[in-house]
């Protein structure tokens, strides 16, 4: 009796694996990976690469000084640098926060973790 249950569970697991692999997220992920990595350039966000198209120019939110942090890891910011990001976030309109995050991404700037959390809370509250 237990051997039949074991075989049934194994077969169920194989069936779930097959269904997941060829439908839903597994199939979509595989098709994106198989797609040509070159983006057509017609859209601001490329579905093939999962990145913003560098041909689109970012909007600036009176934050040009933040360009100095391009390529800096969120772990590497000092308290003073975090305060700079926080100051920009707290002085902008709530409706501009999502655009500001997109602009930072296009510019290659990663937010400090604490500021990113505040920005996400602002966006979610809207």
């Amino acid at each position: 009796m237990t051997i039949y249950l074991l075989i049934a569970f194994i077969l169920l697991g194989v069936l779930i694996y097959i269904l997941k692999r060829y439908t839903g997220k597994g199939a979509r992920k595989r098709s994106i990976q198989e797609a040509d990595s070159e983006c057509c350039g017609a859209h601001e966000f490329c579905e093939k690469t999962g990145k913003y198209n560098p041909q689109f120019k970012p909007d600036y939110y009176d934050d040009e000084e933040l360009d100095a942090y391009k390529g800096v890891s969120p772990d590497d910011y000092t308290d003073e640098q975090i305060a700079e990001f926080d100051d920009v976030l707290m002085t902008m309109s709530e409706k501009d926060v999502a655009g500001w995050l997109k602009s930072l991404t296009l510019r290659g700037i990663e937010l400090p973790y604490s500021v990113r959390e505040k920005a996400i809370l602002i966006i979610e509250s809207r």
Side-chain angles (χ1 to χ4, degrees):
M1 182 70 173
T2 54
I3 191 120
Y4 293 119
L5 284 174
L6 182 63
I7 292 171
F9 280 122
I10 291 172
L11 290 174
L12 182 62
V14 170
L15 180 63
I16 290 171
Y17 171 77
I18 291 170
L19 288 173
K20 187 175 179 181
R21 176 119 171 104
Y22 293 103
T23 61
K25 290 182 182 178
R28 184 176 181 272
K29 185 176 180 182
R30 197 174 59 259
S31 66
I32 289 173
Q33 289 172 343
E34 292 169 356
D36 183 20
S37 64
E38 292 294 319
C39 200
C40 67
H43 305 96
E44 186 172 5
F45 187 81
C46 180
E47 292 180 4
K48 292 180 182 178
T49 63
K51 296 180 180 178
Y52 283 102
N53 185 340
Q55 294 174 343
F56 283 82
K57 300 297 179 215
D59 293 325
Y60 280 86
Y61 293 82
D62 196 24
D63 65 343
E64 293 80 6
E65 70 277 5
L66 299 180
D67 283 342
Y69 303 117
K70 180 178 181 175
V72 176
S73 171
D75 294 323
D76 296 335
Y77 289 112
T78 65
D79 290 339
E80 292 82 23
Q81 293 168 332
I82 293 171
E84 274 187 73
F85 282 95
D86 198 42
D87 184 50
V88 173
L89 176 63
M90 292 297 119
T91 57
M92 74 173 45
S93 169
E94 286 183 1
K95 66 179 176 55
D96 290 334
V97 174
W100 181 59
L101 294 178
K102 181 175 75 172
S103 171
L104 292 174
T105 300
L106 284 169
R107 292 156 52 192
I109 302 169
E110 292 187 64
L111 281 173
Y113 294 120
S114 61
V115 179
R116 180 175 28 191
E117 289 174 12
K118 287 179 187 177
I120 290 171
L121 286 173
I122 291 170
I123 292 169
E124 288 176 347
S125 71
R126 295 197 76 227

